[in-house]
Amino acid sequence: VDAQANLTLGLGIDPLDDVEKQGKKDIGHLLTDPRVSLEEVIIKKRWDDVKLDIVPSHIRLSHMESTLMMTPDIDRVLAKKTKKYVDEYDYILIDPPPSFGKANTIALMASSGVLIPTQLSSYPIRALEFVVGRAIAVDELKEGTLPILGIAVSMHNRTATKVSLEMIEQLK
């Protein structure tokens, strides 16, 4: 659900070549067209014994904020479209955008838990307060709970400086 499509690209799917040029549908279609089902947007990938069904993102999602805002009950559309598939998958991972727009809310409303990635630098650590607050606010609106499963620190240098150690303490 992140218009930057970094995860889509990272999993070997090019939104232009593998989706747009081939006339396939992406997350934008899934969210805004009531007739589009999950099966229509999935691209299957396999690496040895690891199999993933991927709903690709696309940069066009960044231009759909007003459409998302005007669509009735949009906050629950992803939750409704994935609900019947919950038992078919070990995990359904949703990569939301790093902003607090409508796409972020849609992703949180469809989630059963939140894992928050962060870096050990001052701004991301400070932003955690807002991310946690957003998760709590969405938890109050949705059916079921939205627990925070943890915080995943990325790009961590094991030869941590004093500043990094202080930030780790702030996280705790």
Side-chain angles (χ1 to χ4, degrees):
V1 190
D2 185 357
Q4 293 176 359
N6 290 332
L7 185 57
T8 299
L9 286 162
L11 291 171
I13 298 170
D14 184 301
L16 179 61
D17 292 335
D18 301 325
V19 180
E20 189 175 325
K21 286 183 179 178
Q22 294 187 29
K24 294 184 179 178
K25 296 183 178 1
D26 58 52
I27 189 67
H29 297 100
L30 184 67
L31 296 178
T32 60
D33 188 338
R35 298 165 298 192
V36 173
S37 67
L38 191 61
E39 296 97 347
E40 294 177 77
V41 295
I42 287 176
I43 295 177
K44 296 184 176 290
K45 295 290 275 187
R46 184 181 185 122
W47 298 269
D48 297 324
D49 61 344
V50 175
K51 295 183 282 184
L52 294 179
D53 287 354
I54 302 162
V55 175
S57 191
H58 193 286
I59 191 69
R60 76 173 67 107
L61 185 60
S62 65
H63 297 290
M64 300 176 89
E65 187 76 14
S66 62
T67 302
L68 295 175
M69 295 295 285
M70 295 182 337
T71 304
D73 203 27
I74 192 70
D75 289 350
R76 291 174 176 76
V77 71
L78 187 59
K80 288 178 182 178
K81 289 191 175 188
T82 57
K83 185 176 183 177
K84 69 179 184 178
Y85 301 96
V86 170
D87 293 333
E88 292 183 33
Y89 292 100
D90 294 326
Y91 300 97
I92 297 175
L93 303 174
I94 303 170
D95 180 31
S99 62
F100 294 129
K102 188 50 81 173
N104 186 278
T105 302
I106 292 167
L108 288 172
M109 290 294 282
S111 299
S112 59
V114 179
L115 178 63
I116 304 169
T118 191
Q119 296 175 5
L120 287 182
S121 60
S122 57
Y123 191 74
I125 295 294
R126 181 108 201 287
L128 281 175
E129 176 183 345
F130 297 98
V131 173
V132 169
R134 180 73 170 164
I136 291 168
V138 170
D139 178 56
E140 294 172 0
L141 297 173
K142 71 185 295 289
E143 293 178 26
T145 60
L146 185 64
I148 295 172
L149 304 174
I151 297 171
V153 176
S154 65
M155 296 189 242
H156 175 63
N157 181 354
R158 290 191 182 268
T159 59
T161 64
K162 182 181 178 190
V163 174
S164 292
L165 293 173
E166 289 171 3
M167 288 182 194
I168 291 170
E169 286 304 312
Q170 286 179 339
L171 282 175
K172 291 178 184 176

